[in-house]
Amino acid sequence: MAAMAETTVEFGQYPLQVRPEPLRLRSWNRREASTIAPPPSRDPSLQNSDQSLQQKSSFQSLDQILDKGDAGLPPVDRGIQAWKFLFGAFMIEAFMFGFPLNYGVFQSYYSTHAPFEGNTNLSTIGTLGTCFYFLGAPIATYLVRRYSRWQRETIWTGFAISIIGLGAAGWAKDFGSLVATQGVTYGMGILIMYYPIFNMMNEWFVERRGLALGVICASTGFSGLFYPFVLESLLNKFGPATTLRISALALLLLCGPCLPLFQTRHPVSRGEEAPATDYSFLKMPLFYFFALAGLLQGLGFYFPTIYLPSYAMSLGLSPTMGALLLVVYSFAQVLGQMAFGYVSDMRIKRFWLDERVPVHLLIFISSFVSGVSILALWGPARSIGMLVAFAFFYGMSAAGFAVLWARMSTTLSSSPTMALTTFSYFACMKGIGNVVTGPISSAFILLSPATDHDAYADGRYKGIVLYSGACMLASAAVMVVWGVGKRVGRCLQRRGEFCGCPA
């Protein structure tokens, strides 16, 4: 390359001779950062230091940038401390949150044994055990960000509240006491304990955040492979009181030793003021599309897992076959959530592209496949084979939606304060579906016709099947509307016309 000619520039009364230096650029990819080499100093005494600095600063990997930006701290996305944290989160999710997800075993026992036999409000206990985690998420995350220096103490406190509530349920003598202990107290403890853990996850995992959340969420599918059978065996042998006490002791011994694994990556001073929460996402149209898709998905998500065993029994299959369907669903959930988490972290490297797989495409796949499997496999099912196929495809697709919350958050912004806040709003959307599932399903059952083995969805379950399938397809349609609107907006912008859609 020909040398560039020097140019004389008048700077006040002092003439300066300047020769432009070429900039050396290198494209950004996943492992390497763009750097701009500084021009060498005109002072010979500083040339050696300039060259040394240039050699040290050129072409640093992304891991080096992240690690050197936090000098002296453990690395992100790898290292023994990050994996220890992930193991602890897996155990807490599998056993602590997995317990209320398997409340159906207790409900079946309560409804057929004194003193709660015939009680029509038994589902309230299970709903309260999980709805606090979802509906209380925005408040919990605000407090976690506001008092982030007390995160570890908050986890220990929530864990203690849950164990005490579950143990106290073993001495409950009436329905109100059971609601207050197994429902409210246990659910509040889960809420207090969980969101500090998710906030820590955002510190330990950046590039692999989707995979980390997939592993954590998949743990409930893992525990679902054996939890129902263990609880059913204990209930039949010892009754509910002793089973609840044994469960509290087992959770204490299994999960208690994992609590010391939860350490913040960034040490926080007790006197340090927490950063303000970023609420700018409320001005972004994409947030409302994500929230609407999550709400619609949550409104239809729970029906198949609740009614699949009873649907199998209405076809003349044994209760064992109904339990087998839930095992298949749990196994598919593990595979689906880990797969969606892994794919959400992937980058497309083709031609000039170097970007992540679009999260709105993954949302569409999750919701669309779920809706089609409900309408095309569950509705017409007349044999155990079709029900097993439905349980597998539905578990793979529908359960993967929650894993995408992490990437939905980072798509809106890379701000650490925003990531946890938007995550909590998406959880709240699903919580609304969790709460209204009971009343909606009861209305469908009351208004449904009598069982007809020749009718779609066995007649009695037609409304539930059509409703849940329609909710899933509507969730997928929201992402289609966003994608089409985004393309139209870009076309209008290219033509120089005004458009409010983000490019």
Side-chain angles (χ1 to χ4, degrees), residues 7-18:
T7 304
T8 300
V9 179
E10 294 291 340
F11 184 75
Q13 58 179 331
Y14 303 102
L16 300 176
Q17 286 188 340
V18 178

Side-chain angles (χ1 to χ4, degrees), residues 18-71:
V18 178
R19 183 174 64 185
E21 296 290 342
L23 298 180
R24 295 215 309 271
L25 301 177
R26 186 164 182 173
S27 60
W28 178 282
N29 58 39
R30 181 176 182 177
R31 309 303 301 177
E32 296 182 347
S34 300
T35 58
I36 300 179
S41 172
R42 310 306 291 175
D43 186 349
S45 64
L46 300 178
Q47 286 185 357
N48 292 335
S49 61
D50 286 345
Q51 293 174 357
S52 176
L53 177 62
Q54 179 178 335
Q55 292 173 357
K56 290 181 180 180
S57 63
S58 297
F59 312 130
Q60 299 180 68
S61 69
L62 181 58
D63 288 338
Q64 290 172 329
I65 292 172
L66 292 172
D67 296 345
K68 289 183 179 180
D70 300 321

